C-alpha cells in the first residue's frame, strides 16, 4: 500500500517589501528520488532593501542545492539542515525569512518549519 496525497498550497499576499513562493520538486534521477524524495517548501521573505524577488530566487536555489546536493545522512537530517542553513544565511536584522518544508520519501513524510512558519498535516 502506498500513500497518496494531494497538496493545498496557501501563501499570503506579500506587500512591496515581501515575497512568498511555493517550491515543489520531484527529481527525475532515481537515486535522488529514492534518497531525498519529493520536496515541497513554502518560503516567505520580508526585507526593506534590495531586489526581493532576486533574493527569493536565490533562497530557493540555495535550499534546493543544500537538500539535493548531498547524499549523506537521512532525508530528515538533510531537510532540517537545509532549512537551518538557509535561515542562517539569509535571515538578518533587515530580512525576516520563514520556511515550511516537507519531503515525501518512500512512504514517509518529513516536515520542518522555521522562522515562524507552521505546518499542518
Amino acid at each position: 500500500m502506498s500513500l497518496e496525497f494531494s497538496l493545498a498550497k496557501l501563501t499570503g499576499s506579500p506587500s512591496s517589501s515581501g515575497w512568498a513562493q511555493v517550491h515543489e520538486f520531484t527529481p527525475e534521477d532515481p537515486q535522488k528520488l529514492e534518497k531525498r524524495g519529493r520536496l515541497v517548501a513554502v518560503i516567505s521573505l520580508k526585507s526593506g532593501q534590495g531586489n526581493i524577488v532576486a533574493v527569493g530566487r536565490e533562497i530557493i536555489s540555495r535550499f534546493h542545492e543544500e537538500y539535493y546536493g548531498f547524499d549523506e545522512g537521512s532525508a530528515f537530517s538533510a531537510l532540517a539542515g537545509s532549512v537551518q542553513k538557509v535561515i542562517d544565511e539569509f535571515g538578518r536584522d533587515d530580512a525576516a525569512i520563514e520556511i515550511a518544508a516537507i519531503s515525501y520519501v518512500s512512504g514517509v513524510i518529513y516536515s520542518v518549519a522555521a522562522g515562524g512558519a507552521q505546518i499542518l498535516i
Side-chain angles (χ1 to χ4, degrees), residues 17-70:
S17 65
W19 172 90
Q21 182 76 42
V22 177
H23 175 68
E24 184 175 354
F25 181 76
T26 304
E28 292 182 15
D29 179 339
Q31 184 176 354
K32 287 197 185 294
L33 182 61
E34 180 183 335
K35 188 81 172 162
R36 296 289 182 247
R38 180 178 175 187
L39 175 67
V40 179
V42 178
I43 302 170
S44 71
L45 175 66
K46 184 173 183 178
S47 178
Q49 46 181 298
N51 182 344
I52 199 160
V53 174
V55 173
R57 288 183 182 145
E58 187 178 343
I59 288 169
I60 288 175
S61 177
R62 184 74 177 113
F63 181 70
H64 191 278
E65 175 186 305
E66 278 298 315
Y67 184 67
Y68 285 107
F70 307 99

Side-chain angles (χ1 to χ4, degrees), residues 36 63 66-68 70 72-83:
R36 296 289 182 247
F63 181 70
E66 278 298 315
Y67 184 67
Y68 285 107
F70 307 99
E72 299 82 34
S74 70
F76 177 73
S77 294
L79 187 63
S82 300
V83 167

